[in-house]
PDB file of all heavy atoms in Angstrom:
ATOM      1  N   THR A 109     -10.632  10.989   3.849  1.00 73.00           N
ATOM      2  CA  THR A 109     -11.706  11.845   4.345  1.00 73.00           C
ATOM      3  C   THR A 109     -11.175  12.616   5.549  1.00 73.00           C
ATOM      4  O   THR A 109     -10.813  12.018   6.559  1.00 73.00           O
ATOM      5  CB  THR A 109     -12.929  10.993   4.737  1.00 73.00           C
ATOM      6  OG1 THR A 109     -13.359  10.260   3.592  1.00 73.00           O
ATOM      7  CG2 THR A 109     -14.069  11.857   5.240  1.00 73.00           C
ATOM      8  N   TYR A 110     -11.127  13.935   5.416  1.00 74.00           N
ATOM      9  CA  TYR A 110     -10.537  14.758   6.466  1.00 74.00           C
ATOM     10  C   TYR A 110     -11.444  14.759   7.704  1.00 74.00           C
ATOM     11  O   TYR A 110     -12.652  15.061   7.619  1.00 74.00           O
ATOM     12  CB  TYR A 110     -10.382  16.201   5.957  1.00 74.00           C
ATOM     13  CG  TYR A 110      -9.708  17.127   6.942  1.00 74.00           C
ATOM     14  CD1 TYR A 110      -8.343  17.109   7.103  1.00 74.00           C
ATOM     15  CD2 TYR A 110     -10.485  17.992   7.710  1.00 74.00           C
ATOM     16  CE1 TYR A 110      -7.735  17.972   8.002  1.00 74.00           C
ATOM     17  CE2 TYR A 110      -9.873  18.842   8.626  1.00 74.00           C
ATOM     18  CZ  TYR A 110      -8.511  18.827   8.770  1.00 74.00           C
ATOM     19  OH  TYR A 110      -7.904  19.660   9.672  1.00 74.00           O
ATOM     20  N   SER A 111     -10.888  14.380   8.842  1.00 73.00           N
ATOM     21  CA  SER A 111     -11.666  14.331  10.064  1.00 73.00           C
ATOM     22  C   SER A 111     -11.662  15.695  10.730  1.00 73.00           C
ATOM     23  O   SER A 111     -10.608  16.205  11.129  1.00 73.00           O
ATOM     24  CB  SER A 111     -11.046  13.277  11.006  1.00 73.00           C
ATOM     25  OG  SER A 111     -11.550  13.450  12.289  1.00 73.00           O
ATOM     26  N   LEU A 112     -12.860  16.273  10.850  1.00 75.00           N
ATOM     27  CA  LEU A 112     -12.957  17.610  11.440  1.00 75.00           C
ATOM     28  C   LEU A 112     -12.522  17.589  12.918  1.00 75.00           C
ATOM     29  O   LEU A 112     -11.838  18.486  13.382  1.00 75.00           O
ATOM     30  CB  LEU A 112     -14.408  18.110  11.357  1.00 75.00           C
ATOM     31  CG  LEU A 112     -14.856  18.638  10.001  1.00 75.00           C
ATOM     32  CD1 LEU A 112     -16.329  18.985  10.049  1.00 75.00           C
ATOM     33  CD2 LEU A 112     -14.042  19.869   9.609  1.00 75.00           C
ATOM     34  N   SER A 113     -12.927  16.532  13.639  1.00 75.00           N
ATOM     35  CA  SER A 113     -12.607  16.459  15.068  1.00 75.00           C
ATOM     36  C   SER A 113     -11.096  16.368  15.269  1.00 75.00           C
ATOM     37  O   SER A 113     -10.519  17.090  16.088  1.00 75.00           O
ATOM     38  CB  SER A 113     -13.312  15.283  15.721  1.00 75.00           C
ATOM     39  OG  SER A 113     -12.981  14.089  15.047  1.00 75.00           O
ATOM     40  N   GLY A 150       5.657 -15.647  -5.532  1.00 90.00           N
ATOM     41  CA  GLY A 150       5.390 -16.072  -6.920  1.00 90.00           C
ATOM     42  C   GLY A 150       4.053 -15.586  -7.426  1.00 90.00           C
ATOM     43  O   GLY A 150       3.512 -16.112  -8.404  1.00 90.00           O
ATOM     44  N   TRP A 152       2.757 -13.125  -9.330  1.00 92.00           N
ATOM     45  CA  TRP A 152       3.185 -12.061 -10.245  1.00 92.00           C
ATOM     46  C   TRP A 152       2.070 -11.058 -10.529  1.00 92.00           C
ATOM     47  O   TRP A 152       2.333  -9.860 -10.585  1.00 92.00           O
ATOM     48  CB  TRP A 152       3.657 -12.678 -11.572  1.00 92.00           C
ATOM     49  CG  TRP A 152       4.475 -13.903 -11.406  1.00 92.00           C
ATOM     50  CD1 TRP A 152       4.105 -15.195 -11.661  1.00 92.00           C
ATOM     51  CD2 TRP A 152       5.823 -13.985 -10.901  1.00 92.00           C
ATOM     52  NE1 TRP A 152       5.139 -16.067 -11.375  1.00 92.00           N
ATOM     53  CE2 TRP A 152       6.189 -15.352 -10.913  1.00 92.00           C
ATOM     54  CE3 TRP A 152       6.740 -13.033 -10.465  1.00 92.00           C
ATOM     55  CZ2 TRP A 152       7.427 -15.776 -10.501  1.00 92.00           C
ATOM     56  CZ3 TRP A 152       7.993 -13.471 -10.055  1.00 92.00           C
ATOM     57  CH2 TRP A 152       8.325 -14.808 -10.071  1.00 92.00           C
ATOM     58  N   ASP A 154      -0.402 -10.213  -8.671  1.00 95.00           N
ATOM     59  CA  ASP A 154      -0.658  -9.338  -7.513  1.00 95.00           C
ATOM     60  C   ASP A 154       0.469  -8.325  -7.330  1.00 95.00           C
ATOM     61  O   ASP A 154       0.239  -7.205  -6.891  1.00 95.00           O
ATOM     62  CB  ASP A 154      -0.845 -10.196  -6.264  1.00 95.00           C
ATOM     63  CG  ASP A 154      -2.163 -10.938  -6.294  1.00 95.00           C
ATOM     64  OD1 ASP A 154      -3.186 -10.348  -5.964  1.00 95.00           O
ATOM     65  OD2 ASP A 154      -2.166 -12.093  -6.707  1.00 95.00           O
ATOM     66  N   GLU A 158       0.093  -4.179  -7.323  1.00 96.00           N
ATOM     67  CA  GLU A 158       0.736  -3.172  -6.433  1.00 96.00           C
ATOM     68  C   GLU A 158       1.510  -2.145  -7.276  1.00 96.00           C
ATOM     69  O   GLU A 158       1.559  -0.972  -6.903  1.00 96.00           O
ATOM     70  CB  GLU A 158       1.645  -3.870  -5.426  1.00 96.00           C
ATOM     71  CG  GLU A 158       0.895  -4.492  -4.268  1.00 96.00           C
ATOM     72  CD  GLU A 158      -0.100  -3.549  -3.612  1.00 96.00           C
ATOM     73  OE1 GLU A 158       0.261  -2.409  -3.282  1.00 96.00           O
ATOM     74  OE2 GLU A 158      -1.266  -3.957  -3.444  1.00 96.00           O
ATOM     75  N   ARG A 160       0.720  -1.089 -10.250  1.00 96.00           N
ATOM     76  CA  ARG A 160      -0.279  -0.144 -10.817  1.00 96.00           C
ATOM     77  C   ARG A 160      -0.776   0.810  -9.741  1.00 96.00           C
ATOM     78  O   ARG A 160      -0.951   2.016  -9.972  1.00 96.00           O
ATOM     79  CB  ARG A 160      -1.462  -0.915 -11.393  1.00 96.00           C
ATOM     80  CG  ARG A 160      -1.102  -1.624 -12.673  1.00 96.00           C
ATOM     81  CD  ARG A 160      -2.327  -2.304 -13.306  1.00 96.00           C
ATOM     82  NE  ARG A 160      -1.843  -3.404 -14.131  1.00 96.00           N
ATOM     83  CZ  ARG A 160      -1.876  -4.683 -13.781  1.00 96.00           C
ATOM     84  NH1 ARG A 160      -2.418  -5.035 -12.630  1.00 96.00           N
ATOM     85  NH2 ARG A 160      -1.390  -5.601 -14.564  1.00 96.00           N
ATOM     86  N   ASP A 193       4.256  -7.701 -19.642  1.00 89.00           N
ATOM     87  CA  ASP A 193       3.764  -6.387 -20.093  1.00 89.00           C
ATOM     88  C   ASP A 193       4.980  -5.501 -20.373  1.00 89.00           C
ATOM     89  O   ASP A 193       5.302  -4.587 -19.605  1.00 89.00           O
ATOM     90  CB  ASP A 193       2.865  -5.790 -19.006  1.00 89.00           C
ATOM     91  CG  ASP A 193       2.168  -4.526 -19.453  1.00 89.00           C
ATOM     92  OD1 ASP A 193       2.456  -4.040 -20.566  1.00 89.00           O
ATOM     93  OD2 ASP A 193       1.357  -3.983 -18.677  1.00 89.00           O
ATOM     94  N   ARG A 383      10.999 -16.529 -13.159  1.00 87.00           N
ATOM     95  CA  ARG A 383      10.003 -16.637 -14.229  1.00 87.00           C
ATOM     96  C   ARG A 383      10.733 -16.431 -15.544  1.00 87.00           C
ATOM     97  O   ARG A 383      11.335 -15.352 -15.746  1.00 87.00           O
ATOM     98  CB  ARG A 383       8.905 -15.602 -14.052  1.00 87.00           C
ATOM     99  CG  ARG A 383       7.748 -15.905 -14.989  1.00 87.00           C
ATOM    100  CD  ARG A 383       6.567 -15.019 -14.775  1.00 87.00           C
ATOM    101  NE  ARG A 383       5.351 -15.717 -15.220  1.00 87.00           N
ATOM    102  CZ  ARG A 383       4.185 -15.132 -15.405  1.00 87.00           C
ATOM    103  NH1 ARG A 383       4.043 -13.859 -15.157  1.00 87.00           N
ATOM    104  NH2 ARG A 383       3.141 -15.825 -15.807  1.00 87.00           N
TER     105      ARG A 383
ATOM    106  N   ASN B  82      -5.180 -10.934 -13.907  1.00 93.00           N
ATOM    107  CA  ASN B  82      -5.636  -9.753 -13.198  1.00 93.00           C
ATOM    108  C   ASN B  82      -4.757  -8.554 -13.597  1.00 93.00           C
ATOM    109  O   ASN B  82      -3.609  -8.471 -13.208  1.00 93.00           O
ATOM    110  CB  ASN B  82      -5.548  -9.990 -11.685  1.00 93.00           C
ATOM    111  CG  ASN B  82      -6.017  -8.801 -10.886  1.00 93.00           C
ATOM    112  OD1 ASN B  82      -6.475  -7.810 -11.434  1.00 93.00           O
ATOM    113  ND2 ASN B  82      -5.893  -8.904  -9.576  1.00 93.00           N
ATOM    114  N   ARG B  83      -5.308  -7.664 -14.393  1.00 93.00           N
ATOM    115  CA  ARG B  83      -4.555  -6.472 -14.798  1.00 93.00           C
ATOM    116  C   ARG B  83      -5.174  -5.219 -14.200  1.00 93.00           C
ATOM    117  O   ARG B  83      -5.160  -4.151 -14.812  1.00 93.00           O
ATOM    118  CB  ARG B  83      -4.517  -6.376 -16.327  1.00 93.00           C
ATOM    119  CG  ARG B  83      -3.854  -7.588 -16.972  1.00 93.00           C
ATOM    120  CD  ARG B  83      -3.902  -7.485 -18.470  1.00 93.00           C
ATOM    121  NE  ARG B  83      -2.952  -6.515 -18.936  1.00 93.00           N
ATOM    122  CZ  ARG B  83      -1.777  -6.798 -19.500  1.00 93.00           C
ATOM    123  NH1 ARG B  83      -1.434  -8.042 -19.669  1.00 93.00           N
ATOM    124  NH2 ARG B  83      -0.975  -5.849 -19.905  1.00 93.00           N
ATOM    125  N   THR B  84      -5.724  -5.360 -13.017  1.00 94.00           N
ATOM    126  CA  THR B  84      -6.420  -4.251 -12.369  1.00 94.00           C
ATOM    127  C   THR B  84      -5.549  -3.617 -11.275  1.00 94.00           C
ATOM    128  O   THR B  84      -4.397  -4.038 -11.082  1.00 94.00           O
ATOM    129  CB  THR B  84      -7.720  -4.733 -11.720  1.00 94.00           C
ATOM    130  OG1 THR B  84      -7.377  -5.549 -10.591  1.00 94.00           O
ATOM    131  CG2 THR B  84      -8.571  -5.526 -12.680  1.00 94.00           C
ATOM    132  N   GLU B  85      -6.107  -2.687 -10.557  1.00 92.00           N
ATOM    133  CA  GLU B  85      -5.437  -2.086  -9.399  1.00 92.00           C
ATOM    134  C   GLU B  85      -6.014  -2.669  -8.098  1.00 92.00           C
ATOM    135  O   GLU B  85      -5.876  -2.083  -7.046  1.00 92.00           O
ATOM    136  CB  GLU B  85      -5.616  -0.569  -9.415  1.00 92.00           C
ATOM    137  CG  GLU B  85      -4.910   0.101 -10.549  1.00 92.00           C
ATOM    138  CD  GLU B  85      -5.129   1.603 -10.591  1.00 92.00           C
ATOM    139  OE1 GLU B  85      -5.474   2.184  -9.570  1.00 92.00           O
ATOM    140  OE2 GLU B  85      -4.981   2.174 -11.679  1.00 92.00           O
ATOM    141  N   HIS B  87      -6.704  -6.318  -5.743  1.00 94.00           N
ATOM    142  CA  HIS B  87      -6.389  -7.732  -5.552  1.00 94.00           C
ATOM    143  C   HIS B  87      -7.691  -8.522  -5.611  1.00 94.00           C
ATOM    144  O   HIS B  87      -8.521  -8.430  -4.715  1.00 94.00           O
ATOM    145  CB  HIS B  87      -5.673  -7.947  -4.224  1.00 94.00           C
ATOM    146  CG  HIS B  87      -4.338  -7.272  -4.176  1.00 94.00           C
ATOM    147  ND1 HIS B  87      -3.226  -7.781  -4.799  1.00 94.00           N
ATOM    148  CD2 HIS B  87      -3.959  -6.106  -3.641  1.00 94.00           C
ATOM    149  CE1 HIS B  87      -2.215  -6.959  -4.627  1.00 94.00           C
ATOM    150  NE2 HIS B  87      -2.630  -5.931  -3.916  1.00 94.00           N
ATOM    151  N   GLN B 127       0.429 -19.725 -12.551  1.00 69.00           N
ATOM    152  CA  GLN B 127       0.815 -18.294 -12.602  1.00 69.00           C
ATOM    153  C   GLN B 127       2.138 -18.098 -13.318  1.00 69.00           C
ATOM    154  O   GLN B 127       2.383 -17.041 -13.900  1.00 69.00           O
ATOM    155  CB  GLN B 127       0.935 -17.744 -11.194  1.00 69.00           C
ATOM    156  CG  GLN B 127      -0.407 -17.540 -10.507  1.00 69.00           C
ATOM    157  CD  GLN B 127      -0.217 -16.935  -9.152  1.00 69.00           C
ATOM    158  OE1 GLN B 127       0.722 -17.278  -8.448  1.00 69.00           O
ATOM    159  NE2 GLN B 127      -1.104 -16.041  -8.764  1.00 69.00           N
ATOM    160  N   ASN B 128       3.014 -19.111 -13.218  1.00 68.00           N
ATOM    161  CA  ASN B 128       4.394 -18.914 -13.710  1.00 68.00           C
ATOM    162  C   ASN B 128       4.572 -19.181 -15.177  1.00 68.00           C
ATOM    163  O   ASN B 128       5.527 -18.681 -15.781  1.00 68.00           O
ATOM    164  CB  ASN B 128       5.343 -19.845 -12.948  1.00 68.00           C
ATOM    165  CG  ASN B 128       5.550 -19.395 -11.541  1.00 68.00           C
ATOM    166  OD1 ASN B 128       4.812 -18.557 -11.062  1.00 68.00           O
ATOM    167  ND2 ASN B 128       6.541 -19.951 -10.862  1.00 68.00           N
ATOM    168  N   PRO B 201     -17.003  11.363   0.575  1.00 79.00           N
ATOM    169  CA  PRO B 201     -16.885  12.656   1.267  1.00 79.00           C
ATOM    170  C   PRO B 201     -15.435  12.999   1.553  1.00 79.00           C
ATOM    171  O   PRO B 201     -14.635  12.110   1.875  1.00 79.00           O
ATOM    172  CB  PRO B 201     -17.653  12.421   2.578  1.00 79.00           C
ATOM    173  CG  PRO B 201     -17.597  10.956   2.791  1.00 79.00           C
ATOM    174  CD  PRO B 201     -17.578  10.324   1.418  1.00 79.00           C
ATOM    175  N   LEU B 202     -15.083  14.263   1.389  1.00 75.00           N
ATOM    176  CA  LEU B 202     -13.718  14.691   1.696  1.00 75.00           C
ATOM    177  C   LEU B 202     -13.594  15.156   3.137  1.00 75.00           C
ATOM    178  O   LEU B 202     -12.513  15.239   3.696  1.00 75.00           O
ATOM    179  CB  LEU B 202     -13.302  15.811   0.748  1.00 75.00           C
ATOM    180  CG  LEU B 202     -12.996  15.394  -0.679  1.00 75.00           C
ATOM    181  CD1 LEU B 202     -12.641  16.590  -1.514  1.00 75.00           C
ATOM    182  CD2 LEU B 202     -11.885  14.364  -0.728  1.00 75.00           C
ATOM    183  N   ILE B 203     -14.748  15.499   3.722  1.00 75.00           N
ATOM    184  CA  ILE B 203     -14.741  15.980   5.120  1.00 75.00           C
ATOM    185  C   ILE B 203     -15.711  15.124   5.918  1.00 75.00           C
ATOM    186  O   ILE B 203     -16.832  14.883   5.493  1.00 75.00           O
ATOM    187  CB  ILE B 203     -15.158  17.481   5.200  1.00 75.00           C
ATOM    188  CG1 ILE B 203     -14.165  18.324   4.430  1.00 75.00           C
ATOM    189  CG2 ILE B 203     -15.251  17.923   6.648  1.00 75.00           C
ATOM    190  CD1 ILE B 203     -14.582  19.759   4.244  1.00 75.00           C
ATOM    191  N   GLY B 204     -15.252  14.663   7.049  1.00 71.00           N
ATOM    192  CA  GLY B 204     -16.127  13.856   7.922  1.00 71.00           C
ATOM    193  C   GLY B 204     -15.885  14.243   9.359  1.00 71.00           C
ATOM    194  O   GLY B 204     -14.998  15.051   9.661  1.00 71.00           O
ATOM    195  N   TRP B 205     -16.669  13.687  10.262  1.00 70.00           N
ATOM    196  CA  TRP B 205     -16.511  14.027  11.681  1.00 70.00           C
ATOM    197  C   TRP B 205     -15.313  13.292  12.264  1.00 70.00           C
ATOM    198  O   TRP B 205     -14.524  13.840  12.988  1.00 70.00           O
ATOM    199  CB  TRP B 205     -17.763  13.631  12.474  1.00 70.00           C
ATOM    200  CG  TRP B 205     -17.575  13.933  13.921  1.00 70.00           C
ATOM    201  CD1 TRP B 205     -17.547  13.046  14.957  1.00 70.00           C
ATOM    202  CD2 TRP B 205     -17.382  15.216  14.533  1.00 70.00           C
ATOM    203  NE1 TRP B 205     -17.352  13.691  16.156  1.00 70.00           N
ATOM    204  CE2 TRP B 205     -17.233  15.019  15.910  1.00 70.00           C
ATOM    205  CE3 TRP B 205     -17.296  16.512  14.026  1.00 70.00           C
ATOM    206  CZ2 TRP B 205     -17.009  16.086  16.808  1.00 70.00           C
ATOM    207  CZ3 TRP B 205     -17.073  17.559  14.911  1.00 70.00           C
ATOM    208  CH2 TRP B 205     -16.940  17.336  16.276  1.00 70.00           C
TER     209      TRP B 205
END
Side-chain angles (χ1 to χ4, degrees):
Chain A
T109 301
Y110 183 79
S111 165
L112 282 175
S113 56
W152 318 107
D154 289 278
E158 282 310 310
R160 287 185 205 101
D193 187 355
R383 192 174 205 193
Chain B
N82 180 4
R83 299 177 74 104
T84 70
E85 293 178 22
H87 295 283
Q127 287 183 322
N128 288 14
L202 286 178
I203 299 171
W205 178 244

